[in-house]
Amino acid sequence: ADLISRGVRPQDLTENRLWWHGPTWLCTSADVWNSSSIDNFGTREEERGHKVFFSYFKSFYDLLGNFSSYPRALRVMALVVRGCKLLLKQETDFPTEITAVETQSVRDKLIIVSQKAFYCDEYFRLSKKEPILESKLLNLNPFLDEKGILRVGGRLANASNLTYDERFPIVLHSGCHFALLFVNFIHQVTLHGGNQLMLRVIRMQFYIRHAKNLIRTVIGRCRICTIQKKATQSQIMAALPTSRTIIARPF
């Protein structure tokens, strides 16, 4: 390489031993190489900073943004899970209709993804069985159940007359699209119920931070509720026509 860089004619390379065999010391044994002549200048490679730009994709959370109906989102995602199982050959025999078990499994997965997106640090610490130091959920005493769902650990653990979801409601953030779809669904199920009715039904399963604000937003966007709560308009009557006095004259 040194010969070519300095310039040499091709006919001079045919008999050049350095070109074909390299230096003389390189042909000898490695034990007799003279390494003392190699000077170490102590140079360092040039270090340059690099800027890396990336986009964070929240898998199921971003997919839910394409839906405006909670039941439809569960059905479509259940079919997506079926397709993944068919491709991976994990399961090939499926019933014609989507079962309740499939819907429940998809719902749990969507909840977990939403919790990881909005409560990343809390979920990571609890999964590592580490205490939560600073968090807005600290006073709720949160924990992860056997499915990996973040729940509220309140004082109703011994209330046998309540269901498991009522004693330990699932934690959701009001900013996630899953919570918006669910509140919209509850609004339709309760036949366009009011704030207190919707809040009571929601807290049977979920604990949504700032749920009242989210409920007011959903009710405010509902066209039917806006029409029904509109005040009755009163029509201003026009003035009566001018009266004429009719005098009867004898014939």
Side-chain angles (χ1 to χ4, degrees):
D2 186 59
L3 293 174
I4 295 298
S5 63
R6 294 177 182 273
V8 63
R9 295 180 300 175
Q11 56 269 24
D12 295 338
L13 293 177
T14 57
E15 301 296 333
N16 195 315
R17 181 178 177 82
L18 179 63
W19 172 257
W20 295 104
H21 302 284
T24 306
W25 61 269
L26 191 61
C27 299
T28 61
S29 177
D31 299 333
V32 298
W33 289 356
N34 185 13
S35 58
S36 59
S37 61
I38 301 177
D39 297 330
N40 185 11
F41 297 99
T43 58
R44 299 178 59 186
E45 296 182 0
E46 182 181 2
E47 297 181 357
R48 293 182 179 180
H50 299 278
K51 294 182 179 181
V52 180
F53 300 93
F54 67 95
S55 60
Y56 179 69
F57 176 71
K58 309 169 189 176
S59 55
F60 280 104
Y61 172 71
D62 285 344
L63 291 177
L64 285 180
N66 300 324
F67 298 97
S68 60
S69 173
Y70 177 74
R72 181 178 177 83
L74 295 184
R75 291 195 301 268
V76 173
M77 296 309 299
L79 292 176
V80 172
V81 173
R82 280 189 179 185
C84 295
K85 290 182 179 180
L86 286 174
L87 292 176
L88 298 176
K89 297 181 180 181
Q90 296 179 354
E91 190 174 352
T92 57
D93 188 14
F94 294 101
T96 305
E97 301 292 336
I98 299 176
T99 62
V101 177
E102 291 178 303
T103 305
Q104 183 70 21
S105 177
V106 169
R107 191 205 72 151
D108 294 342
K109 292 178 181 178
L110 293 176
I111 290 173
I112 292 174
V113 171
S114 299
Q115 291 176 343
K116 288 182 178 180
F118 286 88
Y119 299 110
C120 179
D121 184 64
E122 293 85 350
Y123 196 96
F124 176 77
R125 287 183 175 275
L126 291 175
S127 61
K128 297 293 183 179
K129 297 183 179 180
E130 298 178 358
I132 300 177
L133 302 179
E134 294 182 0
S135 174
K136 295 181 179 179
L137 303 179
L138 188 60
N139 57 342
L140 300 178
N141 192 21
F143 70 97
L144 297 179
D145 61 2
E146 63 277 1
K147 295 181 181 180
I149 299 177
L150 186 64
R151 293 180 177 271
V152 176
R155 302 175 59 187
L156 301 177
N158 298 326
S160 58
N161 57 334
L162 300 178
T163 62
Y164 184 78
D165 289 335
E166 289 177 327
R167 288 181 291 167
F168 308 105
I170 300 173
V171 180
L172 281 180
H173 195 278
S174 58
C176 67
H177 200 74
F178 182 89
L180 178 61
L181 292 180
F182 183 76
V183 173
N184 271 314
F185 174 70
I186 295 299
H187 185 59
Q188 297 175 3
V189 169
T190 56
L191 303 179
H192 301 273
N195 296 11
Q196 296 300 324
L197 177 59
M198 290 180 60
L199 185 63
R200 176 66 185 94
V201 176
I202 291 171
R203 286 184 175 176
M204 293 176 64
Q205 295 183 2
F206 295 95
Y207 175 82
I208 304 177
R209 297 189 70 251
H210 308 295
K212 295 182 180 180
N213 296 336
L214 183 59
I215 292 173
R216 282 195 293 266
T217 301
V218 170
I219 296 177
R221 294 178 180 177
C222 182
R223 187 178 62 178
I224 297 177
C225 293
T226 303
I227 296 174
Q228 295 294 332
K229 293 182 179 180
K230 187 176 180 58
T232 305
Q233 300 296 323
S234 59
Q235 183 68 29
I236 301 176
M237 303 300 292
L240 296 174
T242 304
S243 61
R244 293 182 179 179
T245 305
I246 302 176
I247 302 175
R249 293 182 179 181
F251 294 99

